Amino acid sequence: MDELKIDSHKLQYHPKRVSQFLDASGNPVKLKKIFPIYVEISPVGACNHRCTFCSVDYIGYKPVLLSLEHLKEVADDFKKNDVKSVMFAGEGEPFVHKKITEVVEYFGKNSIDVSFTTNGTVIPEKFYGEALDYVSWIKVSVNGGEHSYQLIHGSKDNDFEKVFQNLRRLSDERDKRNLALKVGVQMVLLPQNSDEVLPLAKKVKSSGCNYFVVKPFSQHKSSINRDFEKLDYTQFMDLEKSLEALNDENFTVVFRSNAMSKKGEEAPAYTKCYSTPNFWAYIMASGDVYSCSAYLLDERFKLGNIGEKSFADIWQSEERATHCRFMANELDIKECRENCRMDEVNRYLSNLVNDDVDHVNFI
C-alpha cells in the first residue's frame, strides 16, 4: 500500500539526472554542473516543541531565520537550474517563520514542488489561502497518542487537539478545493507510544488524512539524547498486521518495516554515499548550505552560505568539487547516521555504479 514509496525511494523516476551522474563518472568538474533534485530548507531555527528524540537538539533551537529576500533568491536559482522540489522542515518549526506563506507562494509560482514536515501546531490562517494551492504534501509529526503526546513532544497542554483541528482543516480545504495536496501524519515508534499506535492511526484516518506513517527512530551521530540508540524493533513488527485493516481507497498506513528491518545491520549494503553531494542538499536557518542533513555544523560538509554567495555559485564552486573528492575517497560511511534518509537511494545507485546485480541484460 506504499504508493508514495515512503519506505523506498523515487530516484528511478529521474533517469536523465541519474544518467548525467553516471556519465560524470565521479569527475568533480562534471559533477559541479549537476544540481540536486531535492533540497531541504530550514526557514527558522526556533521550535515551539522539545521532542525527546529530536535529532538536531545539539544545534540549540536558535532564533535565527532566513529572510524572504534570500529565500526568493534561492527559488530563482532553483528554477534556473532545474531543482525540482523543496521540503520546509529543519532545525526549527517551519511555520514559526512569519513570512512562510509568502515564501511558499513564491516557490510555487516558480514551478518548484513544495512540501512540509511540521508539528502542525502553529499553521497561520493566511496559509490556508492561495499558498495551499502550491503545496504537494504536508506531513505532520504526531509522536504519541492522547496520553504520551505531551511528554514526548515537550508541548503545551492543548497542542494535541490543536494539531487535529489543523489536520481536519487541511483535509477539508483539500476536498473542498479539489487540491492535489496529500495530508499525512508520521509517528516515530518508541516504547513510550507503542500502545497508542492503533488508536492514533484511527484518529488520523477520521481526520480525513491521506496516510499515516509509522517509522523507526534513527540515531543522529551528534544528538545529545541517546536514550533510543539501541532500540530493537523486532518487538513491534506485529503492529503492521493490526494496522492493515485501516487501509482503503482513501487512506493508507505505511508501516516502515523495511527501514525497521535494516536497523542494526552489521555492515552497510554499499561502501560510498553516492547521493551526497549530488542529488540533494540542506540549507540551515543560518543560511549555511550543507551536502547532508546528518552532518550539520560539521565543516567537512559545509559548502557555503547563501548570505555570501548564491546557491548556484555555491553548488558550482571549487569547495563543492573538493567535497565531491572527499565523499568519493575519504569518508568512511560507518560514521554516518544509521538508516539515513538517502539509504535506499544509495543502495539503488550503488548497484548502478558498481554493476553488481547479476544478469542485468535479461530484462
Side-chain angles (χ1 to χ4, degrees):
M1 293 293 291
D2 186 14
E3 294 179 357
L4 297 173
K5 298 190 181 299
I6 292 171
D7 202 22
S8 181
H9 74 95
K10 294 182 278 289
L11 188 59
Q12 68 267 34
Y13 298 111
H14 300 276
K16 290 183 180 179
R17 200 70 63 92
V18 173
S19 179
Q20 286 179 307
F21 167 76
L22 294 173
D23 288 344
S25 299
N27 184 318
V29 176
K30 292 182 178 179
L31 287 172
K32 281 165 61 173
K33 300 176 183 178
I34 305 172
F35 276 73
I37 295 170
Y38 158 75
V39 177
E40 295 181 21
I41 298 179
S42 179
V44 62
C47 187
N48 60 328
H49 284 189
R50 291 293 182 270
C51 297
T52 58
F53 58 86
C54 181
S55 64
V56 290
D57 52 6
Y58 69 99
I59 296 174
Y61 314 105
K62 297 175 182 177
V64 295
L65 57 83
L66 293 169
S67 70
L68 178 60
E69 291 70 26
H70 278 140
L71 285 165
K72 284 183 174 180
E73 290 170 2
V74 167
D76 291 340
D77 268 354
F78 284 6
K79 182 178 181 180
K80 291 175 187 174
N81 295 289
D82 201 27
V83 176
K84 296 182 180 296
S85 68
V86 59
M87 181 180 76
F88 293 111
E91 313 103 75
E93 165 51 47
F95 283 110
V96 168
H97 196 292
K98 300 300 184 184
K99 297 285 186 181
I100 195 63
T101 299
E102 293 86 344
V103 170
V104 170
E105 290 174 358
Y106 195 85
F107 273 80
K109 288 173 182 177
N110 276 284
S111 301
I112 298 159
D113 293 346
V114 174
S115 67
F116 279 85
T117 294
T118 169
N119 63 40
T121 59
V122 289
I123 302 175
E125 178 62 30
K126 61 182 178 179
F127 179 77
Y128 291 101
E130 183 184 2
L132 204 57
D133 296 344
Y134 299 112
V135 181
S136 299
W137 53 264
I138 294 179
K139 191 184 296 176
V140 178
S141 294
V142 184
N143 300 291
E146 294 183 48
H147 301 295
S148 60
Y149 178 87
Q150 187 175 356
L151 178 65
I152 292 172
H153 276 258
S155 61
K156 295 179 181 177
D157 291 347
N158 63 340
D159 276 2
F160 184 76
E161 188 50 47
K162 190 181 293 184
V163 167
F164 279 91
Q165 290 172 1
N166 286 330
L167 286 168
R168 286 187 285 270
R169 175 77 182 277
L170 288 166
S171 299
D172 288 346
E173 291 291 336
R174 176 202 63 209
D175 295 343
K176 181 172 66 178
R177 292 153 58 179
N178 196 29
L179 300 176
L181 170 70
K182 298 288 187 184
V183 181
V185 167
Q186 70 175 6
M187 177 189 203
V188 176
L189 183 57
L190 303 169
Q192 292 90 333
N193 62 26
S194 59
D195 61 344
E196 294 190 89
V197 175
L198 185 57
L200 181 61
K202 291 177 179 178
K203 188 174 180 66
V204 171
K205 182 175 182 177
S206 68
S207 300
C209 294
N210 298 97
Y211 61 87
F212 175 62
V213 179
V214 183
K215 61 184 285 188
F217 169 79
S218 173
Q219 181 65 56
H220 193 289
K221 71 184 192 74
S222 300
S223 296
I224 297 169
N225 191 309
R226 320 295 291 192
D227 291 349
F228 310 111
E229 189 170 10
K230 304 297 184 182
L231 190 56
D232 178 9
Y233 277 93
T234 56
Q235 60 185 310
F236 302 124
M237 300 304 278
D238 288 346
L239 281 170
E240 183 171 19
K241 190 168 184 62
S242 65
L243 292 165
E244 287 177 354
L246 297 176
N247 292 332
D248 59 33
E249 61 181 6
N250 298 314
F251 181 76
T252 302
V253 176
V254 180
F255 189 86
R256 295 196 58 186
S257 54
N258 181 38
M260 291 180 196
S261 67
K262 291 184 292 184
K263 187 170 174 60
E265 281 184 332
E266 290 186 6
Y270 41 88
T271 58
K272 296 182 186 296
C273 177
Y274 298 101
S275 59
T276 304
N278 302 301
F279 294 98
W280 75 318
Y282 185 100
I283 303 177
M284 292 185 71
S286 64
D288 287 341
V289 178
Y290 282 81
S291 64
C292 177
S293 65
Y295 287 95
L296 303 181
L297 304 188
D298 186 329
E299 289 294 320
R300 298 175 301 168
F301 289 79
K302 181 181 172 182
L303 304 178
N305 187 289
I306 60 170
E308 301 167 3
K309 289 183 180 180
S310 70
F311 181 85
D313 286 344
I314 291 170
W315 201 251
Q316 296 179 101
S317 66
E318 184 54 37
E319 286 83 357
R320 179 168 166 259
T322 298
H323 186 60
C324 287
R325 297 184 188 97
F326 165 76
M327 292 299 297
N329 302 311
E330 297 179 44
L331 179 70
D332 181 355
I333 63 168
K334 292 178 182 177
E335 295 181 37
C336 294
R337 184 177 185 175
E338 183 183 52
N339 236 342
C340 82
R341 185 168 293 166
M342 290 292 140
D343 179 71
E344 286 294 322
V345 170
N346 281 328
R347 290 169 187 253
Y348 173 70
L349 290 171
S350 178
N351 286 336
L352 295 178
V353 170
N354 298 306
D355 192 20
D356 55 5
V357 177
D358 291 338
H359 309 154
V360 293
N361 294 328
F362 294 89
I363 60 172

